[in-house]
Amino acid sequence: MNKTNKLIKLAILLSFAIVLSYFESLIPLPIPFPGIRFGLANSIGLIILYMGSKKDYLLFNIFKVFIMAILRNGFGTAFLIGLSGMILSVSFTLLIYKMNKASIFGLSFVGAIFHSLGQMIMVSIIYNNIYLVNYLPILITFSIITGFLTAFIAVLVINRVPDRLLRIDS
Amino acid sequence: MSLKFNRSDIFILIASIILVISFVIGSNYLTGLTNKGDLKVDINISGRIAYTYSLNEDRIITLKKDDHPSLLGDMEIEIRDNKVRVSKEQSPLNYCSKQGFVDKVARPIICLPNEVIVIIRGEISFDWVMPS
């Protein structure tokens, strides 16, 4: 019973995340820099990390990258960029999580900043030019803002939604 | 993990910014190391290296529209005093001719409407990653 409960909750949260990242791709941001998104799906990831375990967070991110690739552009450039961003972001977030010092805001900052770093590393590999990493200072400036916003949204959701609806027991 | 912003968040934020910035500076430094010796100029047209010239010899290269269908008009690339620039081109905004001379490795001159990329390459190239 418990296992089914957990499976269903994780599946619902995963579908929320996929719909959110699809919707935010439809909203144009009034910023003259390409490649900047809110990353609202990471709010869901942070909720899972808070309510569930590290393993849930890791599986959530892996499934999200693969399902987004199947639903949208296929396993091309966008998938590779998302994958490398995910790997770096998840590994650093879990590293900081293990230290047990940072709050949800710190984890969100780390996730957003290292997601940008992983993406730019893959971009410079694909386009074969290390010069492209000079775009990172602009990206991480926005990563700090969006990292704060996604953590803020996650805190709002955790505070307002009843605990028994979100709690992921293992 | 708490839900309240605390002091260690600021430490972690600053530490990760320092890490990323040092990565940027380090990769620029590594690129700068290749900025000596026998430098080459690669002219990419439609994603393939069409011509390669030495940066040490002054010359003017004219790309004809008839030979390269992606060009919007005839294009002139000038190599002078170990620097390279796009001196004449046809495009809506003329970004690549406005950029002027480039003398450093891996700083590309990109003319997107013409699908032309001019880039200086050192002895160690970054081609090992994914040959184009």
Side-chain angles (χ1 to χ4, degrees):
Chain A
M1 191 62 190
N2 234 347
K3 229 176 173 179
T4 322
N5 194 341
K6 182 183 174 183
L7 181 73
I8 290 171
K9 275 178 182 167
L10 282 178
I12 290 174
L13 287 172
L14 180 62
S15 63
F16 277 166
I18 287 160
V19 170
L20 278 178
S21 44
Y22 183 70
F23 264 112
E24 74 177 16
S25 71
L26 300 177
I27 304 166
L29 292 179
I31 300 170
F33 303 108
I36 288 160
R37 313 182 284 119
F38 275 123
L40 286 175
N42 200 38
S43 300
I44 309 273
L46 290 169
I47 292 169
I48 289 178
L49 189 60
Y50 183 73
M51 292 292 181
S53 65
K54 285 183 286 185
K55 198 180 145 202
D56 298 335
Y57 180 70
L58 179 66
L59 283 178
F60 164 79
N61 276 292
I62 293 172
F63 274 108
K64 191 172 80 70
V65 168
F66 278 91
I67 292 175
M68 283 306 283
I70 292 167
L71 288 181
R72 298 185 63 197
N73 303 324
F75 295 91
T77 320
F79 166 73
L80 286 176
I81 292 170
L83 185 71
S84 74
M86 184 275 286
I87 291 171
L88 226 70
S89 147
V90 167
S91 38
F92 275 89
T93 309
L94 290 182
L95 194 78
I96 300 293
Y97 180 76
K98 231 181 161 185
M99 288 180 190
N100 214 0
K101 280 266 165 57
S103 73
I104 194 166
F105 288 94
L107 293 172
S108 184
F109 287 142
V110 170
I113 289 173
F114 284 96
H115 197 271
S116 307
L117 179 65
Q119 281 181 320
M120 282 321 281
I121 290 172
M122 186 50 93
V123 166
S124 54
I125 289 172
I126 288 173
Y127 290 103
N128 209 347
N129 194 334
I130 199 89
Y131 182 57
L132 291 168
V133 298
N134 286 305
Y135 189 48
L136 265 173
I138 294 171
L139 272 186
I140 61 169
T141 312
F142 285 97
S143 291
I144 294 164
I145 300 168
T146 58
F148 186 82
L149 282 176
T150 50
F152 187 69
I153 291 168
V155 169
L156 283 184
V157 172
I158 290 169
N159 284 338
R160 287 180 189 203
V161 178
D163 212 34
R164 69 189 157 78
L165 289 182
L166 284 179
R167 176 67 55 193
I168 302 160
D169 295 316
S170 47
Chain B
M1 149 175 152
S2 74
L3 296 179
K4 288 251 162 43
F5 195 86
N6 60 32
R7 197 144 38 108
S8 51
D9 290 343
I10 297 170
F11 281 129
I12 286 165
L13 180 61
I14 292 169
S16 35
I17 290 172
I18 289 172
L19 201 80
V20 172
I21 294 296
S22 54
F23 173 78
V24 173
I25 293 170
S27 60
N28 276 316
Y29 175 72
L30 284 180
T31 326
L33 289 185
T34 66
N35 200 9
K36 57 175 169 246
D38 198 17
L39 300 183
K40 297 272 195 296
V41 179
D42 282 342
I43 300 172
N44 275 272
I45 303 174
S46 305
R48 283 184 301 116
I49 296 176
Y51 305 101
T52 300
Y53 296 101
S54 172
L55 193 64
N56 301 324
E57 296 159 27
D58 294 0
R59 68 168 86 225
I60 289 174
I61 305 134
T62 312
L63 304 176
K64 289 265 190 295
K65 184 175 164 42
D66 303 335
D67 304 338
H68 305 287
S70 71
L71 297 185
L72 300 173
D74 287 1
M75 192 170 199
E76 222 168 65
I77 294 163
E78 186 183 5
I79 300 176
R80 181 153 53 101
D81 303 334
N82 294 325
K83 289 180 281 191
V84 63
R85 70 164 175 175
V86 173
S87 44
K88 265 185 212 156
E89 41 95 23
Q90 289 268 320
S91 65
L93 298 169
N94 301 101
Y95 279 136
C96 57
S97 50
K98 277 179 194 162
Q99 189 177 347
F101 282 109
V102 168
D103 59 350
K104 288 203 167 59
V105 165
R107 307 279 194 271
I109 304 175
I110 300 173
C111 193
L112 211 54
N114 291 306
E115 294 180 31
V116 172
I117 299 172
V118 179
I119 190 161
I120 300 175
R121 169 164 59 90
E123 275 166 356
I124 310 161
S125 75
F126 291 93
D127 285 357
W128 41 264
V129 187
M130 202 177 269
S132 47

